[in-house]
């Protein structure tokens, strides 16, 4: 069955939909004929994308939501079910980055990463999944991990930790949904490789007082180098939707690239190798 057959006519809720892969997923969902709820903390970004999609003949609804706040996410779920309809696809996508040595990371920056990247996914599941279960219709939950969820990288520990957490959370959630007998709910983990976004520019850094700012900003520049060759978000979204329609659990924007990182991670764990610091500036999952 094609992605259009599965999703057309349904409602998609996407957090962090205002930019990056979230916007790409929203654009592709709209092109498949879905009603798209664009949830973002940036009202201007959500409004602009909704205007674009609606002008193109789609049906998009902007919604301001702070995924760090469980009440904000719960209110979003109530509004969607009251005003838009039952959700066929929930995409917990909102995410932020952080650069710098872990011991230099400001507490506020650590909390920001955990609250958005990990707790934001949890709040989405708590707010929407019971309603999706009760509706009884085939529905999908996608949680955004990352190639960083199967790799280890210095100077990005909070982000890498958060994406490992999201992957484990999603794997456990899939088992729990099966254990509870909710066969109409399909849980899938999305692992993007490099996809064009502004996540590196908006990433947190470290304070200048006694912290190694140069190391943090050098890592930011290294990631911006990767961005120059990153995948277009709409192209990435099409790959994800097509893989989801095939029934895969791990949805990889760049199957070969991300798959190599998954294989290497499995090999490291199986051989119980200690992490090895590589001298290459650019991240290559095959060398981690």
């Amino acid at each position: 069955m094609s992605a259009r057959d599965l999703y057309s006519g349904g409602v998609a809720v996407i957090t962090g939909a205002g930019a990056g892969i979230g916007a790409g997923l929203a654009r592709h969902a709209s092109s498949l004929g879905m009603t798209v709820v664009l949830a973002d903390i940036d009202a201007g970004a959500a409004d602009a994308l909704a205007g674009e999609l609606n002008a193109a003949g789609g049906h998009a609804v902007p919604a301001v939501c702070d995924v760090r706040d469980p009440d904000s996410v719960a209110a979003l779920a109530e509004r969607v079910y009251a005003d838009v309809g039952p959700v066929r696809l929930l995409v917990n996508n909102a995410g932020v980055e952080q650069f710098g040595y872990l011991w230099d990371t400001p507490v506020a920056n650590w909390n920001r990463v955990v609250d958005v990247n990990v707790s934001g996914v949890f709040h989405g599941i708590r707010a929407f999944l019971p309603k999706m279960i009760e509706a009884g219709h085939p529905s999908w939950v996608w949680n955004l991990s990352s190639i960083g969820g199967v790799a280890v990288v210095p100077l990005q520990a909070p982000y890498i930790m958060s994406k490992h957490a999201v992957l484990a959370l999603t794997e456990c959630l899939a088992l729990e949904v099966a254990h509870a007998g909710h066969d109409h709910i399909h849980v899938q983990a999305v692992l993007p490789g490099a996809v064009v976004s502004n996540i590196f520019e908006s990433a947190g850094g470290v304070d200048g007082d006694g912290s190694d700012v140069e190391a943090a900003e050098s890592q930011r520049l290294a990631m911006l180098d990767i961005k120059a060759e990153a995948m277009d978000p709409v192209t990435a979204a099409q790959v994800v939707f097509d893989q989801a329609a095939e029934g895969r659990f791990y949805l990889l924007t760049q199957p070969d690239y991300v798959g190599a990182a998954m294989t290497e991670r499995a090999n490291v764990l199986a051989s119980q190798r200690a992490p090895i610091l590589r001298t290459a500036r650019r991240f290559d999952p095959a060398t981690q």
Side-chain angles (χ1 to χ4, degrees), residues 249-284:
F249 178 78
Y250 300 103
L251 311 180
L252 317 179
T253 58
Q254 296 105 317
D256 291 341
Y257 177 63
V258 181
M262 297 174 78
T263 299
E264 179 60 17
R265 181 64 176 164
N267 290 339
V268 166
L269 294 175
S271 63
Q272 300 181 38
R273 300 202 313 260
I276 299 172
L277 179 64
R278 306 292 181 174
T279 57
R281 184 181 181 213
R282 295 183 58 168
F283 170 58
D284 180 352

Side-chain angles (χ1 to χ4, degrees), residues 197-278:
S197 76
N198 293 322
I199 193 170
F200 300 138
E201 290 90 339
S202 61
V206 300
D207 299 330
D209 186 15
S211 300
D212 195 332
V213 175
E214 182 178 354
E217 293 310 307
S218 177
Q219 187 68 8
R220 188 192 305 272
L221 290 175
M223 293 299 102
L224 289 173
D225 282 350
I226 290 176
K227 177 183 174 179
E229 301 175 4
M231 192 176 193
D232 174 75
V234 176
T235 303
Q238 181 176 350
V239 173
V240 169
F241 269 93
D242 289 346
Q243 290 178 355
E246 293 172 5
R248 300 188 189 187
F249 178 78
Y250 300 103
L251 311 180
L252 317 179
T253 58
Q254 296 105 317
D256 291 341
Y257 177 63
V258 181
M262 297 174 78
T263 299
E264 179 60 17
R265 181 64 176 164
N267 290 339
V268 166
L269 294 175
S271 63
Q272 300 181 38
R273 300 202 313 260
I276 299 172
L277 179 64
R278 306 292 181 174

Side-chain angles (χ1 to χ4, degrees), residues 81-141:
Y81 274 81
D83 300 336
V84 183
V87 174
R88 186 175 303 177
L89 173 63
L90 170 66
V91 184
N92 291 305
N93 164 73
V96 294
E97 252 279 19
Q98 170 66 31
F99 296 119
Y101 289 120
L102 189 58
W103 56 87
D104 286 340
T105 301
V107 171
N109 290 20
W110 169 269
N111 289 339
R112 174 177 179 248
V113 171
V114 174
D115 290 347
V116 174
N117 295 11
V118 182
S119 296
V121 175
F122 169 67
H123 297 326
I125 291 164
R126 283 273 301 174
F128 282 92
L129 188 54
K131 298 178 185 299
M132 297 166 76
I133 290 171
E134 183 179 2
H137 306 304
S139 304
W140 285 258
V141 177

